[in-house]
Amino acid sequence: MRRAGRPAGPAPARPQRGLWPWPRRSEAASLLAVERMAIEQTLLIIKPDAVARGAVGQIIGRLEAEGFALRQLRLVRLGRDEAERFYAVHRDRPFFAGLIQFMTSGPAIPMLLEREDAVAHLRRFIGVTDSARAGAGTIRGDFGTDVQRNAVHASDCPENAGREAVFFFGAQAG
Ligand code: UDP
Ligand code: MG
């Protein structure tokens, strides 16, 4: 709320003294945050549902428009063993068998993407796991169907991004 007595508009200039001009606290915090952000790589897979519905071009276009640079890309048909190894962390989950069936059902497109803060930024950009609940404008919201057929995979932390990059791109990763 504006205090009574001061007109709307920019605050009057402060007098020159000491270390002025010095960034205000909020400006200093955001400058530090920018400095902390590193260029990272992360792995995205366009899953068989999105390849089958012809959404590859639109998905890659959105990623490029969001500032992700494409560093590696393949078209693969995952075998059962590969899919089980890739999703080994979910081996004991009730959805595992269905997930493996889905991921081996047709071609998929793993790619390495690079930008500032890539891992966290991409997770936000694709939307939540369940496409039925992912927001409009997110990749999962716009191109997926449900909690299994959700159009894309994205690495969930930098360690897994590195591991998953090597899984698909071996020595070419990084
Ligand atoms: N999945 C599923 N049923 C579930 C949860 C997940 O079929 O109840 C599938 C879905 O394709 C998801 C993948 O398993 O993308 C891996 O699940 P995770 O919880 O790691 O979600 P993500 O990291 O992909 O958002
Ligand atoms: Mg996951």
Side-chain angles (χ1 to χ4, degrees):
M1 203 168 54
R2 194 152 49 81
R3 272 206 318 260
R6 193 167 89 62
R14 288 212 232 155
Q16 288 281 120
R17 66 176 153 75
L19 290 169
W20 180 259
W22 190 250
R24 280 173 294 144
R25 182 190 295 264
S26 60
E27 288 167 346
S30 69
L31 286 171
L32 289 171
V34 166
E35 265 178 30
R36 264 205 311 275
M37 275 193 203
I39 298 292
E40 289 178 338
Q41 292 192 348
T42 190
L43 184 101
L44 178 128
I45 307 174
I46 304 182
K47 294 184 177 183
D49 59 329
V51 176
R53 67 161 53 179
V56 172
Q58 293 178 76
I59 291 173
I60 292 177
R62 285 195 188 189
L63 294 166
E64 289 180 328
E66 188 65 15
F68 289 97
L70 201 45
R71 294 295 181 227
Q72 297 284 342
L73 179 144
R74 294 175 61 198
L75 183 128
V76 300
R77 176 77 187 252
L78 287 179
R80 168 169 294 275
D81 285 0
E82 282 174 307
E84 287 182 354
R85 259 193 300 127
F86 185 79
Y87 278 119
V89 65
H90 295 309
R91 199 185 300 109
D92 299 324
R93 307 290 290 278
F95 61 80
F96 187 66
L99 172 62
I100 299 307
Q101 169 74 30
F102 164 53
M103 290 301 293
T104 56
S105 66
I109 303 183
M111 64 189 77
L112 265 187
L113 298 172
E114 186 173 289
R115 65 158 277 158
E116 222 167 54
D117 194 31
V119 175
H121 194 96
L122 184 61
R123 289 289 295 197
R124 283 195 298 275
F125 190 62
I126 66 172
V128 296
T129 303
D130 185 351
S131 279
R133 297 178 45 238
T138 66
I139 292 179
R140 283 172 160 174
D142 291 351
F143 299 108
T145 307
D146 54 30
V147 71
Q148 178 191 80
R149 300 167 62 81
N150 58 2
V152 291
H153 164 89
S155 309
D156 61 5
C157 64
E159 293 68 31
N160 283 339
R163 186 183 64 78
E164 293 173 358
V166 169
F167 185 96
F168 284 107
F169 298 104
Q172 262 116 42

